[in-house]
Amino acid sequence: MRWKHWSDSDYHTMEKSGRSYYDNGLPLADEYLDLIVSVPSVEDELFQKLAEAESDAERARTCAILMVQIRSCLTQKQYRRLWLLCVEGMSVEAIAAMEGVTHQNVSKSIIKAQKKLQKNFGL
């Protein structure tokens, strides 16, 4: 009888002392599994970086091919003016002032370039 009393009291004392740990934890039920953040493995991170690098390289190759095709269907002047307008963000007036020509000259050149691109690429 003494043994049972000692055992029960010790059990309850131990149960109460460690209770706060269990009261403040998350149960591992299915609804909470998405909230638990896992750390990706080194291999997963490496494969992710390789996939991103491969994607970037493919995008760069595609852009390079497109740029060659665009350059081949435009005159040098049209390409330069379209580049200044679209990529550099310059206005038609600024391009005209830089080249020492009229606004209308630059505008017509850009319109012709856009029509060529539309015809050749469906843009």
Side-chain angles (χ1 to χ4, degrees), residues 37-54:
V37 179
S38 63
V39 177
S41 68
V42 174
E43 293 86 3
D44 288 341
E45 288 180 359
L46 176 63
F47 288 137
Q48 179 66 30
K49 287 180 183 177
L50 287 173
E52 288 171 4
E54 187 175 315

Side-chain angles (χ1 to χ4, degrees), residues 81 91-97 101-110:
R81 289 174 177 174
S91 68
V92 173
E93 293 83 13
I95 297 169
V101 295
T102 65
H103 173 275
Q104 187 177 11
N105 190 336
V106 173
S107 183
K108 283 182 179 180
S109 177
I110 289 173

